[in-house]
Amino acid sequence: MHPHHQDKATLLERLIFNNRPAVIALCLLVSIFLFWQATQIRPSTSFEKMIPLQHPFIEQMMEHRNDLANLGNTVRISVEAVNGDIFDKDYMETLRQVHDEVFYIPGVDRAGLKSLWSPSVRWSEVTEEGFSGGEVIPNTYNGSQDSLDTLRDNVLKSGQVGRLVANNFKSSIVDVPLLESYPDPQDPGRQVKLDYQQFSHQLEEKIRDKFQAQNPNVKVHIIGFAKKVGDLIDGLVMVALFFGIALAITWVLLYWFTWCIRSTIAVLITTLVAVVWQLGLMHAVGFGLDPYSMLVPFLIFAIGISHGVQKINGIALQSSDADNALTAARRTFRQLFLPGMIAILADAVGFITLLIIDIGVIRELAIGASIGVAVIVFTNLILLPVAISYVGISNKAVARSKQDATREHPFWRLLSNFASARVAPVSVALALVAFAGGLWYSQNLKIGDLDQGAPELRPDSRYNQDNNFIISNYSTSSDVLVIMVKTPAEHCSVHSTMAPIDELMWTMQNTPGVQSAISLVTVSKQVIKGMNEGSLKWETLSRNPDILNNSIARADGLYNGDCSLAPVLVFLNDHKAETLERVTAVAKAFADSHNKEGLQFLLAAGNAGIEAATNEVIKSAELTILIMVYICVAVMCLITFRSFAATLCIVLPLVLTSVLGNALMAYLGIGVKVATLPVVALGVGIGVDYGIYIYSRLESFLRAGLSLQEAYYQTLRSTGKAVLFTGLCLAIGVCTWIFSAIKFQADMGLMLTFMLLWNMFGALWLLPALARFLIKPEKMVGKEGGSIFAH
């Protein structure tokens, strides 16, 4: 069983085990420092980290973001009258108080705040004397029936129906633009960054709760990027609870696996140390926790436990014929350091490939996970064996492992049939059928979001209900694609610019998926019609430059200060991938055929523009990442086992899992997006562990001259239990996520659980069947070398 007792101790082993007190002291000091760092880590999300900054759409948007003042980060608060309509004294009073209350929330761009109570919201009409107009809510307003009737007339003339006022007059909107950073109220010289979570809580307390309690006839609905991110961060706090649950389940499983309370505690503590180190290092490097990198501590915990279990398993097997715990720990260290190291490198490779995606949150996830995996080398491959060499393993556990080493295991005997000449061809045939079926079904896999509303939150969440309310009551949806029209200074109002804009709007409005479009042309036509006694024949663009200049005077916000940029706002029904693809394709085609000297149509700002860019980045990166992960993993296996056959045995089951994972996503209606893209790389990188552990044992038994089926039985007997346990541990680490309030975390949890369990099953079922066809046992007998693990 143990042909390696007489092995000479390696330099590394002597260095570690001859200086055990120093190793423990060093780890303790590092842990104290990093624990102090980890306690300071905070949730953080910024708008710019969630978008691909190198994409041309985003570059154009960033370049002109100052000219698109009202298209940046805004929150919309819709105040609904439950009974009756908005032309009601109490309702108008509540709306005024909401407007005033929002005005004083820190981070609000007060100059841009808009509601019916803003002086900038005006009406105009044409009379015999020419134009007359004024504020929608006049100074004479006093809440009487007469002034409410006047208000109704003014609203109808203001052109705000469908924008600030609902189409059914039962609600109206307060438009709240935000500042990314603003002067500190205590110390005006200092700039403070907008804290989305705090801002979201203030909206809940000061606006929603306060006014719904004060006026029972009012319901408040709030949407916008800042509100959504605030809700996300609140969802993160729940995730800490999941960590506790995963810890408890793992504890029970570990004890059931080892029957030794000492080693259970040792594994849990060293793994928690790894998590603390990872969080501490993340903070030291200057990262916070965002909704994506929250996954990392779970993964590190699960990977750490799985490596810890391999160690304990080895030490228990060694303890049966070692004099003391120290000898057993040293021998296990010698036997498992290399396969452990290779498996951990394979995990790291999966993470590092994610760096090629140009999206901040995914890069942070990749860096955080790589740090975490590096930490496991210290805590679980070095600190754990040293700790066990002191505390030892209980006699009960050693006796059990002694008994296991000699007795017959019916379950493993049954599983060893997977390597038999009868079963293997059936397995391979089944795998081929599953592979073909998976490939065929995964054609239905879509890129991007497949639901309306905020895809990050569940469809029945408060935010998405608010979003549905606003989509169904207003003509301007929350999905806006902004096409920027760039001209020389003072040229945005000339006919040669306005006519193509008009044509663009007509093209866009006739594209399926578009709700409506507005630009300065919309305003200009209305004004020209008004100048001509409201005759519909005149609702067109004049060729007279003075008339055109005059006509856009009221189009505030639809062109910039020196009239060199005019945005066209295209409102979409939803942000599903196909809608975005269709609409951006039409806009691009229009831009390509109309761009000329002095007039440029630039895509794209607005949340739909950002999402379209993200989808494009993901679509191009998806295949690259898969191929890179597989190349890296295959190279690792080649270096380790120095055999193509071995590499195929390990990698092919992983390929099957990837294909079935894609088919599952298509079936569940989960799109490939920022959240699900990392899962592909993680599933393969982590899933390869099982294959490496199984194959390295199988190979040593084949060298000893056993037939394939007998060698596989011996392999299962020595590491099968550990592999099964590892699979369960990894799956439990991430499956608690399925219950997260954050939808993309639930998607990630579901996909990872599936991939990790299926990878384990693939390693136990498909690997031996492939070995039957690819590996010739008689050629391996007695040959030294061939593998790093040959003893």
Side-chain angles (χ1 to χ4, degrees):
M1 272 296 292
H2 308 300
H4 41 266
H5 287 181
Q6 60 284 9
D7 274 12
K8 279 280 157 277
T10 57
L11 177 68
L12 181 67
E13 184 191 328
R14 286 203 300 274
L15 184 70
I16 290 166
F17 284 93
N18 297 348
N19 304 303
R20 291 184 301 164
V23 170
I24 297 231
L26 189 69
C27 287
L28 195 65
L29 285 175
V30 174
S31 300
I32 291 169
F33 171 70
L34 288 177
F35 181 75
W36 172 71
Q37 286 284 338
T39 51
Q40 299 174 14
I41 199 162
R42 295 281 170 271
S44 74
T45 26
S46 83
F47 184 56
E48 287 168 23
K49 273 189 201 159
M50 303 176 87
I51 56 180
L53 294 173
Q54 312 291 314
H55 191 282
F57 285 10
I58 307 292
E59 287 180 333
Q60 301 285 10
M61 181 182 96
M62 290 312 210
E63 191 183 326
H64 300 109
R65 68 189 299 181
N66 297 336
D67 290 334
L68 302 168
N70 57 349
L71 307 176
N73 199 346
T74 57
V75 166
R76 298 162 78 193
I77 303 173
S78 172
V79 185
E80 177 193 3
V82 184
N83 301 310
D85 57 21
I86 62 172
F87 305 114
D88 168 77
K89 183 179 174 186
D90 294 342
Y91 173 86
M92 290 307 293
E93 181 52 33
T94 303
L95 183 67
R96 185 182 66 79
Q97 290 174 1
V98 170
H99 180 106
D100 293 351
E101 189 77 51
V102 172
F103 187 85
Y104 290 108
I105 295 181
V108 170
D109 180 0
R110 295 171 182 174
L113 187 64
K114 242 180 155 171
S115 77
L116 289 180
W117 283 94
S118 310
S120 60
V121 177
R122 305 176 66 82
W123 59 275
S124 56
E125 67 176 340
V126 188
T127 60
E128 289 93 2
E129 282 88 51
F131 275 95
S132 69
E135 297 171 17
V136 167
I137 300 184
N139 293 336
T140 56
Y141 174 83
N142 57 12
S144 66
Q145 197 51 51
D146 286 351
S147 54
L148 285 169
D149 292 343
T150 314
L151 172 67
R152 183 185 305 246
D153 290 346
N154 292 352
V155 166
L156 289 171
K157 295 173 199 162
S158 69
Q160 291 295 345
V161 179
R163 286 162 69 187
L164 278 184
V165 177
N167 294 322
N168 61 2
F169 298 109
K170 287 178 75 70
S171 65
S172 72
I173 278 186
V174 182
D175 233 340
V176 189
L178 304 179
L179 302 163
E180 283 286 336
S181 51
Y182 55 93
D184 186 348
Q186 270 73 48
D187 168 19
R190 212 178 99 239
Q191 290 281 321
V192 195
K193 271 185 82 69
L194 178 64
D195 177 343
Y196 290 125
Q197 187 185 16
Q198 201 184 341
F199 181 74
S200 165
H201 287 180
Q202 291 202 311
L203 288 179
E204 288 296 333
E205 292 157 22
K206 294 188 174 170
I207 308 295
R208 196 184 325 245
D209 298 348
K210 178 174 163 186
F211 290 109
Q212 288 187 1
Q214 187 184 311
N215 181 350
N217 192 35
V218 158
K219 263 183 89 173
V220 177
H221 308 269
I222 309 174
I223 64 167
F225 179 77
K227 181 76 191 100
K228 180 169 77 181
V229 172
D231 288 357
L232 276 185
I233 296 177
D234 289 340
L236 291 190
V237 180
M238 283 294 292
V239 175
L241 183 71
F242 294 149
F243 196 81
I245 296 170
L247 191 73
I249 300 175
T250 311
W251 164 275
V252 173
L253 272 180
L254 257 177
Y255 184 66
W256 169 74
F257 179 81
T258 56
W259 287 107
C260 166
I261 201 84
R262 276 178 281 178
S263 45
T264 299
I265 291 175
V267 172
L268 274 177
I269 287 179
T270 44
T271 308
L272 285 173
V273 165
V275 172
V276 168
W277 282 23
Q278 187 262 333
L279 289 172
L281 286 166
M282 285 278 286
H283 184 258
V285 180
F287 291 159
L289 272 185
D290 57 59
Y292 297 87
S293 62
M294 285 295 280
L295 180 66
V296 176
F298 284 80
L299 281 178
I300 299 309
F301 180 70
I303 295 171
I305 293 281
S306 65
H307 286 288
V309 164
Q310 298 284 357
K311 286 281 173 291
I312 297 290
N313 195 36
I315 292 175
L317 285 170
Q318 298 284 4
S319 293
S320 49
D321 58 350
D323 335 332
N324 56 22
L326 177 56
T327 319
R330 292 186 75 138
R331 285 179 186 162
T332 307
F333 179 82
R334 198 175 312 165
Q335 183 193 354
L336 285 180
F337 186 76
L338 260 174
M341 194 67 193
I342 299 284
I344 281 180
L345 277 174
D347 296 345
V349 160
F351 298 131
I352 290 167
T353 48
L354 289 173
L355 287 173
I356 61 174
I357 303 181
D358 169 44
I359 293 175
V361 280
I362 294 192
R363 287 199 170 155
E364 283 193 16
L365 177 115
I367 293 166
S370 307
I371 290 175
V373 175
V375 161
I376 287 181
V377 174
F378 292 99
T379 57
N380 290 51
L381 296 190
I382 295 174
L383 178 62
L384 181 63
V386 171
I388 294 282
S389 73
Y390 278 118
V391 299
I393 285 183
S394 69
N395 296 335
K396 189 160 89 177
V398 175
R400 190 159 158 242
S401 117
K402 241 184 200 158
Q403 187 196 347
D404 272 0
T406 51
R407 74 184 173 94
E408 176 68 24
H409 293 257
F411 179 64
W412 297 132
R413 183 60 77 190
L414 184 71
L415 280 194
S416 72
N417 283 321
F418 282 144
S420 74
R422 286 198 323 281
V423 181
V426 181
S427 293
V428 174
L430 277 174
L432 281 170
V433 171
F435 182 76
L439 267 184
W440 173 77
Y441 195 79
S442 54
Q443 293 170 333
N444 306 331
L445 188 61
K446 302 272 196 294
I447 303 275
D449 293 314
L450 311 181
D451 305 309
Q452 275 195 337
E456 297 90 338
L457 302 166
R458 292 190 180 267
D460 54 358
S461 66
R462 177 68 169 271
Y463 182 91
N464 278 332
Q465 289 173 346
D466 288 351
N467 193 51
N468 288 342
F469 174 83
I470 289 180
I471 289 177
S472 46
N473 285 295
Y474 295 82
S475 343
T476 52
S477 73
S478 57
D479 294 309
V480 194
L481 177 75
V482 179
I483 301 162
M484 299 163 278
V485 185
K486 197 176 175 188
T487 62
E490 307 302 340
H491 270 66
C492 71
S493 62
V494 298
H495 187 268
S496 60
T497 304
M498 305 267 277
I501 293 182
D502 193 17
E503 200 183 325
L504 170 69
M505 286 173 62
W506 171 253
T507 311
M508 296 316 292
Q509 278 164 329
N510 287 295
T511 305
V514 174
Q515 240 182 8
S516 61
I518 58 171
S519 70
L520 50 80
V521 172
T522 326
V523 179
S524 171
K525 285 181 169 185
Q526 290 289 339
V527 171
I528 293 175
K529 177 178 80 172
M531 302 233 195
N532 293 285
E533 299 177 2
S535 162
L536 288 173
K537 282 194 296 194
W538 288 91
E539 193 174 353
T540 179
L541 293 171
S542 164
R543 288 182 182 270
N544 179 328
D546 297 335
I547 294 181
L548 275 183
N549 275 337
N550 186 11
S551 73
I552 64 162
R554 286 214 171 77
D556 52 327
L558 292 173
Y559 56 92
N560 65 349
D562 63 355
C563 196
S564 63
L565 189 82
V568 177
L569 280 61
V570 182
F571 296 99
L572 310 179
N573 291 332
D574 53 52
H575 49 228
K576 293 183 184 167
E578 48 262 49
T579 312
L580 294 176
E581 228 168 85
R582 190 182 325 115
V583 174
T584 49
V586 170
K588 267 183 187 160
F590 184 90
D592 293 342
S593 61
H594 286 74
N595 278 352
K596 56 176 194 277
E597 187 59 42
L599 175 67
Q600 278 181 306
F601 291 89
L602 307 176
L603 276 78
N607 67 329
I610 293 168
E611 202 125 334
T614 312
N615 288 354
E616 282 182 21
V617 167
I618 284 174
K619 197 171 188 173
S620 61
E622 184 195 14
L623 202 60
T624 325
I625 281 196
L626 252 186
I627 293 170
M628 275 184 62
V629 174
Y630 275 115
I631 290 175
C632 296
V633 166
V635 168
M636 305 275 309
C637 294
L638 266 177
I639 294 171
T640 313
F641 297 112
R642 307 197 193 140
S643 129
F644 273 111
T647 305
L648 283 174
C649 286
I650 293 172
V651 173
L652 288 176
L654 298 177
V655 177
L656 179 62
T657 307
S658 291
V659 170
L660 290 175
N662 277 350
L664 179 72
M665 280 171 69
Y667 174 70
L668 292 172
I670 300 173
V672 180
K673 44 181 191 267
V674 180
T676 45
L677 195 57
V679 171
V680 178
L682 303 184
V684 175
I686 298 171
V688 73
D689 291 12
Y690 313 110
I692 290 178
Y693 275 121
I694 288 181
Y695 191 85
S696 62
R697 301 297 293 155
L698 182 66
E699 192 184 45
S700 62
F701 289 119
L702 288 173
R703 288 191 196 292
L706 300 178
S707 73
L708 180 67
Q709 192 171 347
E710 187 53 36
Y712 188 54
Y713 169 64
Q714 294 296 345
T715 303
L716 288 174
R717 226 175 64 165
S718 60
T719 68
K721 191 170 150 195
V723 166
L724 258 178
F725 181 83
T726 303
L728 284 174
C729 252
L730 285 168
I732 285 162
V734 292
C735 81
T736 47
W737 280 52
I738 296 173
F739 305 102
S740 172
I742 299 177
K743 183 157 186 308
F744 67 73
Q745 283 186 341
D747 291 348
M748 275 172 129
L750 184 68
M751 291 308 303
L752 268 175
T753 305
F754 169 79
M755 289 188 79
L756 295 172
L757 284 175
W758 190 261
N759 275 333
M760 169 189 78
F761 179 67
L764 288 171
W765 158 67
L766 200 53
L767 190 149
L770 290 166
R772 167 66 67 189
F773 290 99
L774 297 169
I775 288 167
K776 303 281 174 282
E778 59 279 5
K779 289 192 181 159
M780 293 174 72
V781 177
K783 263 175 67 179
E784 272 307 317
S787 159
I788 300 181
F789 306 143
H791 299 300

